[in-house]
């Protein structure tokens, strides 16, 4: 099943197309990547990647309802895949994605749902209370001063550094970008060179010549290439840089931040689980909890920010060991966002785990290095960052004792039983957490709720005031 | 905290009260006559090595709990082939696998218990009453005859490698005979310039001490850092990083820490300059010079400032450049630049690591030769299988380096590394001696194909800014 990702097959560079203002250009001119996974993009013409500020973007004045029509049709088009474009992109993506083919395929199958109209409307409603403020100038309620003001969520100019660990990141970016209109340049990551481009091509196919597709460009350049980035990352061209995780991405983006050029950071994060003693109520309950916790741990093969890596369990060592045995079993199960077998453990992680084996007084290790999972039970959290389906289970006398290990980098906390979220959520929020969820639900933030700790559409738009004057 | 004066082993002579098993002893001592040792064909050595490995394993599995556990898990009762060694190779991380809390909270008895699992000798009776800090803990171990070396990686967590006083002496003796091979023999009559610390319980310090003993004329050693290298200082940095991460460090404290780091860096720069000037002053004498590549370039630059031309060194000077260049802004041809600066002096090279006692010297053909007492293997990328002739392409195999060093009595000398090596298994070395040899192309076994990957996952490290060395 994974044969398409066998390195030997990628001996000729893979063609990676770019989008220039809605127009697709086949790749081939510039070769990147290590010898076994080379890819060739179209030539990068920097002039083509900027929009002049003296002119409004193509969709600035397109009514949101019309944009939603196009997006909703795009969703249907993606599901039908009349031209075989989705299937072709999936096969190509499989050659550079670190995800197993089955997971990638199931992720691709979820792309149409991202364009679901009811969800788009719900998100606009939650974030703006209606489309009018995106389409025009909303009259503000009369303030205490008695003056009259109007505000518009004006379409932005954004360069996006998107994440490639899951195809969903490209879909979210494109949908959010479309809803805020604006003009958008997407810098492709080397681990997902195809999804974003394919989605824009889908939009262009659904509505040929429509301003929405013309509002997008996608391009690959090597992240950090100063020749490209110092030329493009200027407030004269873009208002914001929306950058997803990765320490180096954010540190690099930071170099260009200045007046008029703002960073919207989807911070790099890690996630945990908190399991109360209620899990030990019966063997059946423990099995169920382990299954839910395994879902969170194996999410996107544990490559996501929401994937659980540390699990704090309220119980004795003996109880926690029972939990660990069940957890390792449940990690080898087929799920939408993981395969049962996984991928062989990366070298550095293998070395870390290997170092703990045989240290029975301090650790117990379940699982092997073949990929389906490793569970380490320890008294305190291990000193390394569990990755590649490695879970560190830490026994705590009380869930509150786990709070000391929660930091600014902690994003999602899955809790069992859900009723105990109420006793924990303020303390978790205080420590820096962004989401507290029922265990098993770390994946998939509901559209319309804050994402990574903020309302993305609100952050994307430029807020502009028209102050004073007569009520219009 | 007291650091004892370095112990010079009186046992460096004829009598060797070591616990080395007879076959291992025989192989290890072969390198005392390197011209013969490095000329032995693999067909003669390999059966002896295999027998020695079995002999060693039989004894050590009874002494070292972690080895016993490995052997039981893998179902290995005897070393019948080199493949049987694979599951018994430790990862370097095992030497820092203790919970950090044990040090943070000063649970030294538990630390002893942890160390015992990796030690051949009984460490349980070491007196840890009143131990103040980690350096103090290490000194107590030394006082009790356990030569524990502490090495800190970039993570800040410290590895503890136990060995014995006899291991130290044997290592020094091995280096004496092999370090200069095949270009020269170590004679204790040169000034030694050691561009690193010479005090402390660290493997780099141990290398310095060994080389001083082997090459140095008494009283003529010049080292970079006269202060002992303290683990507690490393731990202090790690602790500060932790405090920064969890937000408990207050602005004043951060400022004080940064000032201290800055002062230290400035003092180090001054000290480096003084040492460089001393070296340049003595350049017309035969010396032994150890420095990292970047330091050699700094020496060159200082020489130019002083108007000293290239190639102005005594021809019998022994140059031992080493070290990685990761994260340093170095020119691509740094080796050539350094060589051009010193001219035709004796430049030696070795392949080895902290965990290895018997290093591999580099021959005239710039290839590394394994001494008889070192079983070197190239494993597949996942480290689960020994690569053999059938894996060779054009007579060469490329894989992950793993080894069993037959010299150690204090711990198990088997390790799997993160180094990617290419071994020529086809024929003799271009230098004329028998193979297999390791090519001068050693690199890290990094995951390939992951450059420019962007994901949303990350750690608290991304949230810590400023002031801390990587």
């Amino acid at each position: 099943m994974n044969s398409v990702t066998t390195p030997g097959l990628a001996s000729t560079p893979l063609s990676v197309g770019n989008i220039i203002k809605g127009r697709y250009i086949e790749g081939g001119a510039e070769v990147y990547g290590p010898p076994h996974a080379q890819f060739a993009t179209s030539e990068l013409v920097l002039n083509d990647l900027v929009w002049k500020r003296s002119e409004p973007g193509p969709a600035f004045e397109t009514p949101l309802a019309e944009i939603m029509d196009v997006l909703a049709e795009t969703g249907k088009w993606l599901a039908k895949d009349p031209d075989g474009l989705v299937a072709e992109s999936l096969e190509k993506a499989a050659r550079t994605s670190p995800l197993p083919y089955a997971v990638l395929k199931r992720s691709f199958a979820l792309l149409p749902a991202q364009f679901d109209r009811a969800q788009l409307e719900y998100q606009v409603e939650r974030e703006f209370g209606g489309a009018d403020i995106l389409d025009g100038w909303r009259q503000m309620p009369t303030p205490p001063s008695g003056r009259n003001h109007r505000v518009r969520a004006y379409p932005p100019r954004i360069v996006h550094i998107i994440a490639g660990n899951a195809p969903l990141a490209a879909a979210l970016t494109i949908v959010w970008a479309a809803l805020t209109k604006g003009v958008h340049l997407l810098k492709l990551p080397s681990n997902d060179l195809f999804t974003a481009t394919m989605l824009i091509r889908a939009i262009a196919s659904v509505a040929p010549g429509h301003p929405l597709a013309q509002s997008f460009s996608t391009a690959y350049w090597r992240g950090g290439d100063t020749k490209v980035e110092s030329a493009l990352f200027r407030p004269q061209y873009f208002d914001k840089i929306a950058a997803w995780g990765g320490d180096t991405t954010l540190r690099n983006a930071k170099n260009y931040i200045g007046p008029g050029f703002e960073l919207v950071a989807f911070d790099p994060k890690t996630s945990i689980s908190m399991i109360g003693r209620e899990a030990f109520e019966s063997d059946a309950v423990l099995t169920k909890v382990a299954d839910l916790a395994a879902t969170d741990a194996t999410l996107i093969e544990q490559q996501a920010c929401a994937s659980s890596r540390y699990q704090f369990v309220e119980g004795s060592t003996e109880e926690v060991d029972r939990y660990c045995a069940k957890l390792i079993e449940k990690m080898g199960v087929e799920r939408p966002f993981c395969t049962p077998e996984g991928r062989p453990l990366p070298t550095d992680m293998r070395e870390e785990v290997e170092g703990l084996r045989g240290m029975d007084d301090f650790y117990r290790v379940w699982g092997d290095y073949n990929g389906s999972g490793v569970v380490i039970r320890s008294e305190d959290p291990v000193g390394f960052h569990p990755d590649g389906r490695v879970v560190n289970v830490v026994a705590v006398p009380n869930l509150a004792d786990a709070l000391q290990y929660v930091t600014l980098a902690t994003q999602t906390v899955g809790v069992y039983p859900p009723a105990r979220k109420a006793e924990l959520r303020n303390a978790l929020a205080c420590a820096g957490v962004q989401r507290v969820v029922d265990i098993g639900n770390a994946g998939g933030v509901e559209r319309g709720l804050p994402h990574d700790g903020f309302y993305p559409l609100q952050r994307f738009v430029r807020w502009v005031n028209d102050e004073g004057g007569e009520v219009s | 905290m007291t650091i004892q004066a370095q112990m010079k082993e009186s046992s460096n002579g004829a009598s060797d009260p070591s616990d080395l098993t007879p076959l291992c002893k025989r192989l290890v001592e072969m390198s005392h006559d390197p011209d013969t040792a490095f000329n032995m064909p693999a067909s003669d050595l390999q059966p002896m090595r295999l027998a020695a490995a079995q002999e060693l394993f039989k004894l050590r599995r009874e002494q070292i709990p972690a080895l016993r556990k490995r052997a039981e898990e893998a179902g290995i009762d005897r070393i019948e082939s080199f493949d049987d060694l694979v599951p018994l190779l430790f990862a370097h991380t095992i030497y820092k696998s203790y919970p950090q809390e044990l040090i943070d909270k000063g649970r030294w008895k538990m630390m002893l218990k942890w160390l015992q699992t990796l030690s051949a000798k009984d460490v349980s009776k070491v007196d840890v009453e009143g131990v103040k800090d980690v350096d103090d803990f290490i000194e107590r171990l030394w006082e009790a005859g356990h030569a524990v070396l502490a090495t800190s990686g970039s993570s800040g967590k410290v590895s503890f490698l136990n060995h014995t006083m006899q291991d130290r002496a044997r290592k020094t003796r091995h280096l004496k005979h092999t370090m200069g091979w095949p270009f020269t023999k170590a004679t204790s009559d040169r000034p030694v310039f050691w561009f690193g610390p010479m005090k402390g319980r660290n493997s780099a310090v141990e290398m310095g001490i060994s080389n001083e003993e082997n090459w140095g004329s008494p009283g003529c050693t010049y080292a970079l850092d006269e202060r002992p290298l303290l683990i507690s200082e490393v731990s202090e940095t790690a602790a500060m990083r932790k405090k920064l991460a969890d937000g408990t460090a207050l602005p004043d404290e951060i400022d004080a820490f940064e000032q201290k780091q800055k002062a230290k860096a400035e003092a180090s720069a001054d000290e480096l300059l003084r040492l460089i000037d001393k070296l340049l002053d003595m350049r017309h004498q035969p010396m032994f010079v150890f420095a990292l590549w970047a330091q050699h370039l700094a020496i060159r630059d200082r020489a130019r400032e002083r108007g000293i031309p290239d190639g102005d060194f005594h021809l019998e000077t022994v140059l031992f450049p080493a070290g990685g260049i990761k994260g340093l802004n170095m020119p691509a041809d740094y080796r050539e630049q350094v060589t051009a600066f010193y001219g035709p002096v004796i430049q030696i090279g070795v392949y080895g690591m902290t965990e290895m006692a018997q290093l591999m010297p580099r021959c005239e053909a710039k290839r590394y030769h394994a001494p008889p007492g070192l079983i070197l293997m190239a494993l597949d990328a996942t480290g689960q299988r020994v690569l053999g002739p059938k894996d060779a392409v054009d007579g060469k195999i490329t894989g992950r380096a793993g080894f069993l060093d037959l010299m150690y009595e204090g711990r198990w000398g088997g390790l799997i590394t993160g180094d990617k090596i290419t071994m020529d298994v086809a024929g003799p070395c271009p230098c004329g001696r028998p193979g297999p040899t390791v090519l001068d192309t050693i690199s890290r076994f990094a995951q390939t194909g992951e450059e420019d990957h962007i994901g949303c996952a990350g750690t608290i490290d991304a949230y810590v800014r400023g002031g801390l060395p990587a």
Side-chain angles (χ1 to χ4, degrees):
Chain A
M1 185 163 50
N2 292 340
S3 62
V4 282
T5 61
T6 304
L9 294 182
S11 52
T12 51
L14 196 55
S15 171
V16 173
N18 287 341
I19 301 267
I20 304 296
K21 297 175 180 169
R23 190 166 42 89
Y24 177 70
I25 298 171
E26 190 62 48
E30 303 197 17
V31 178
Y32 296 94
H36 71 275
Q38 287 190 329
F39 57 93
T41 67
S42 51
E43 195 193 344
L44 207 60
V45 182
L46 297 181
N47 285 3
D48 291 346
L49 297 179
V50 298
W51 285 266
K52 281 191 197 151
R53 202 175 266 282
S54 54
E55 296 161 12
F60 276 23
E61 303 306 332
T62 306
L64 193 66
E66 190 182 315
I67 286 174
M68 286 195 186
D69 288 343
V70 174
L71 291 174
E73 282 308 307
T74 301
K76 290 176 197 157
W77 190 94
L78 289 168
K80 284 201 208 100
D81 193 21
D83 299 343
L85 181 65
V86 182
E88 184 199 323
S89 301
L90 167 64
E91 296 309 318
K92 280 184 157 186
R95 289 173 62 177
T96 53
S97 172
L99 291 178
Y101 183 72
V103 173
L104 198 62
K105 192 175 176 185
R106 287 194 288 265
S107 300
F108 261 61
L110 287 170
L111 291 174
Q114 306 310 312
F115 295 78
D116 173 64
R117 184 162 192 138
Q119 284 200 42
L120 306 180
E121 286 173 352
Y122 181 78
Q123 184 170 13
V124 169
E125 194 60 35
R126 292 281 68 70
E127 295 207 30
F128 299 110
D132 60 306
I133 200 164
L134 288 155
D135 285 342
W137 299 85
R138 180 187 287 171
Q139 179 67 45
M140 293 290 113
T142 307
S145 69
R147 297 166 73 201
N148 278 314
H149 307 301
R150 288 143 301 275
V151 170
R152 183 171 176 190
Y154 196 76
R157 298 159 189 271
I158 305 182
V159 53
H160 301 262
I161 312 288
I162 65 172
N165 53 337
L168 200 66
L172 282 178
T173 294
I174 288 168
V175 169
W176 294 342
L179 291 176
T180 51
K181 309 180 184 181
V183 289
H184 303 274
L185 168 61
L186 276 62
K187 188 264 179 224
L188 303 172
S190 68
N191 43 345
D192 185 4
L193 292 160
F194 299 96
T195 312
T197 304
M198 181 272 285
L199 294 173
I200 309 294
R201 290 175 76 187
I203 291 171
S205 294
V206 164
H210 192 273
L212 182 57
Q214 293 168 10
S215 303
F216 284 98
S217 293
T218 65
Y220 179 80
W221 63 85
R222 187 140 169 206
D225 182 342
T226 45
K227 193 164 164 283
V228 178
E229 297 185 350
S230 80
L232 294 179
F233 295 180
R234 292 173 184 277
Q236 287 73 16
Y237 304 133
F238 297 102
D239 302 315
K240 303 166 196 241
I241 179 167
W244 290 68
D247 191 11
T248 45
T249 312
L250 290 180
R251 283 185 197 276
N252 189 44
K254 186 194 72 185
N255 297 331
Y256 301 99
I257 302 310
F261 191 65
E262 175 194 7
L263 173 67
V264 178
F266 294 91
D267 289 337
K269 291 282 179 178
T270 187
S271 294
I272 64 171
S273 310
M274 288 187 167
I275 293 161
R277 64 180 78 260
E278 295 86 343
F280 297 100
E281 193 179 295
S282 72
D283 196 59
V285 170
L286 192 64
T287 305
K288 185 189 81 179
V289 174
D291 186 58
L292 291 166
T295 307
D296 289 347
T298 56
L299 178 69
I300 313 286
E301 302 289 332
Q302 208 182 39
Q303 295 303 292
C305 38
S307 316
S308 170
R309 293 164 202 272
Y310 295 93
Q311 303 193 343
F312 300 93
V313 181
E314 222 173 43
S316 66
T317 305
E318 181 276 323
E319 285 172 322
V320 172
D321 281 0
R322 263 200 298 134
Y323 168 77
C324 291
K326 286 189 187 289
L327 179 63
I328 193 74
E329 193 184 307
K330 293 294 180 185
M331 284 177 75
V333 168
E334 184 96 29
R335 299 174 195 277
F337 293 111
C338 78
T339 56
E341 69 277 7
R343 289 274 177 89
L345 210 58
T347 308
D348 53 345
M349 201 46 51
R350 194 196 129 107
E351 285 184 356
E352 295 290 1
V353 176
E354 188 72 11
L356 309 180
R357 283 180 48 214
M359 297 289 159
D360 292 359
D361 290 319
F362 308 95
Y363 310 94
R364 191 161 163 196
V365 180
W366 290 260
D368 58 31
Y369 307 126
N370 292 328
S372 69
V374 173
V375 174
I376 302 157
R377 183 259 295 151
S378 60
E379 207 174 309
D380 301 298
V382 293
F384 57 87
H385 180 62
D387 194 25
R389 297 170 63 143
V390 174
V391 180
N392 179 206
V393 176
V394 180
V396 287
N398 193 297
L399 289 186
D401 295 309
L403 288 168
Q404 59 180 309
Y405 305 116
V406 176
T407 71
L408 268 176
T410 315
Q411 180 202 63
T412 299
V413 182
V415 179
Y416 182 84
R420 291 190 63 185
K421 285 186 297 185
E423 77 186 60
L424 294 165
R425 63 193 175 199
N426 283 329
L428 288 170
C430 182
V433 162
Q434 295 174 337
R435 297 169 70 216
V436 186
V437 304
D438 296 356
I439 197 145
N441 289 274
V445 187
E446 180 78 50
R447 198 70 71 71
L449 264 51
H451 188 103
D452 282 4
F454 57 92
Y455 283 104
L457 302 186
Q458 288 190 6
R459 283 289 299 280
F460 275 16
V461 297
R462 289 184 59 230
W463 292 101
V464 185
N465 306 347
D466 165 13
E467 301 178 26
E470 297 301 313
V471 179
S472 58
Chain B
M1 235 253 7
T2 51
I3 292 281
Q4 286 191 308
Q6 297 301 332
M7 303 181 188
K8 289 267 171 72
E9 300 325 310
S10 55
S11 60
N12 269 12
S15 69
D16 182 357
S18 82
D19 282 344
L20 269 199
T21 53
L23 292 175
C24 291
K25 186 169 163 41
R26 190 173 151 210
L27 283 165
V28 165
E29 290 182 354
M30 278 182 189
S31 64
H32 298 177
D33 175 10
D35 289 329
T36 307
F38 290 110
N39 264 303
M40 288 183 71
S43 55
D44 290 354
L45 282 174
Q46 290 295 77
M48 292 165 70
R49 284 170 170 157
L50 192 61
Q54 161 55 21
E55 181 193 68
L56 185 68
F57 169 68
K58 192 177 167 206
L59 178 64
R60 295 287 178 258
R61 70 171 291 166
E62 300 310 318
Q63 298 170 327
I64 304 172
L67 178 65
R68 183 163 62 245
K69 169 104 177 156
R70 284 298 178 85
E72 280 166 9
E73 280 178 0
I76 306 275
D77 298 323
R78 282 183 58 81
I79 309 297
E80 307 272 359
S81 73
F82 292 109
D83 297 304
D84 293 336
L85 284 175
V86 178
L88 307 178
L89 302 181
F90 292 164
H92 71 96
T93 48
I94 201 168
Y95 294 106
K96 55 174 181 175
S97 66
Y98 57 89
Q100 183 62 36
E101 302 269 317
L102 300 191
I103 289 185
D104 295 347
K105 294 180 181 162
R107 293 168 65 189
W108 308 114
K109 277 214 157 28
M110 282 301 277
M111 274 303 286
L112 284 181
K113 192 172 175 188
W114 170 82
L115 188 63
Q116 187 64 66
T117 57
L118 292 164
S119 301
K121 307 282 174 191
D122 183 6
V123 297
S124 67
K125 299 193 176 54
V126 174
D127 177 16
V128 290
E129 260 323 294
V131 164
K132 289 191 295 290
D133 60 14
V134 64
D135 294 296
D136 206 10
F137 173 66
I138 295 166
E139 288 313 310
R140 296 289 184 91
L141 283 157
W142 278 72
E143 281 162 20
H146 306 289
V148 173
L149 298 181
T151 302
S152 158
S154 52
S155 69
K157 196 165 180 186
V158 178
S159 297
F160 293 92
L161 291 138
N162 197 2
H163 67 336
T164 67
M165 297 303 169
Q166 283 82 6
D167 283 334
R168 295 182 73 211
R170 266 193 300 270
K171 181 170 182 176
T172 298
R173 201 156 48 221
H174 171 78
L175 291 174
K176 180 181 175 67
H177 296 295
T178 60
M179 193 82 184
W181 183 86
F183 307 103
T184 188
K185 282 194 162 80
T187 44
S188 308
D189 53 8
R190 295 157 199 259
V192 168
F193 278 87
W194 192 259
F195 280 73
M198 274 289 248
K199 287 177 185 162
R201 304 306 191 187
N202 172 290
S203 66
V205 170
E206 288 281 294
M207 261 305 259
I209 294 168
S210 290
N211 280 299
E212 176 186 36
E213 191 169 329
N214 291 336
W215 298 90
S217 45
C220 287
T221 297
Y222 307 95
L224 194 53
D225 203 336
E226 288 301 319
R227 297 180 315 127
L229 191 70
L230 295 180
I231 294 305
S232 49
E233 286 186 11
V234 177
S235 306
E236 201 177 282
T237 304
M240 189 63 197
R241 184 184 287 275
K242 189 166 181 292
K243 288 184 87 172
L244 279 172
D246 62 25
T248 51
L250 292 174
D252 278 356
E253 196 180 350
I254 297 171
D255 183 55
F257 183 80
E258 285 179 343
Q259 294 301 334
K260 197 171 155 190
Q261 296 287 110
K262 201 172 149 216
K264 236 193 262 181
E266 282 165 3
S268 298
D270 289 348
E271 199 179 0
L272 177 64
L273 189 62
R274 279 200 301 278
L275 190 62
I276 289 175
D277 277 337
K278 183 83 186 164
L279 169 83
L280 293 174
D281 292 346
M282 294 172 76
R283 68 188 181 279
H284 296 137
Q285 302 181 36
M287 304 176 287
F288 180 91
V289 184
F290 163 82
L292 303 175
W293 288 105
Q295 291 170 329
H296 280 300
L297 288 180
I299 295 166
R300 191 266 317 265
D301 293 345
R302 177 63 181 163
R304 296 218 166 135
E305 271 177 32
R306 286 179 47 177
I308 297 169
D310 283 2
D312 197 25
F313 286 82
H314 194 286
L315 295 181
E316 291 297 312
T317 283
V318 174
L319 197 64
F320 176 31
I325 58 161
K326 194 179 160 195
L328 297 173
N329 187 18
M330 299 271 281
D333 61 342
Y334 64 94
R335 286 168 185 249
E336 288 76 14
Q337 290 193 24
V338 169
T339 303
F341 166 62
Y342 285 98
V345 298
I346 301 164
Q347 194 177 129
I348 59 171
V350 292
Y351 172 53
M353 57 207 76
T354 299
E355 296 86 351
M356 194 189 266
Q358 301 176 85
L359 308 181
M360 296 173 61
R362 192 172 62 195
C363 72
E364 301 90 337
K366 294 204 180 306
R367 288 188 176 189
Y368 300 96
H369 291 252
L374 182 74
I375 299 173
L376 183 78
M377 294 172 278
L379 310 175
D380 66 337
T382 60
Q384 288 170 320
R385 185 172 70 85
V386 181
L387 299 179
K390 64 182 183 307
D391 301 293
V393 179
D394 297 334
K396 296 186 178 71
I397 49 177
T398 296
R400 180 182 296 277
F403 64 84
L404 175 62
D405 193 322
L406 297 167
M407 180 185 280
Y408 286 116
E409 59 166 337
R411 67 168 185 269
W412 179 237
L415 192 90
I416 180 164
T417 77
D419 285 352
K420 188 180 194 174
I421 57 167
T422 297
M423 279 171 93
D424 184 342
V425 290
C429 179
C431 76
R433 299 178 189 91
T437 48
V438 174
L439 274 57
D440 199 13
T441 55
I442 300 155
S443 62
R444 292 295 294 167
F445 223 109
Q447 303 294 107
T448 52
E450 293 189 356
E451 61 181 30
D452 205 17
H453 277 200
I454 301 176
C456 56
T459 68
I460 190 69
D461 293 341
Y463 298 74
V464 181
R465 175 177 59 82
L468 294 170

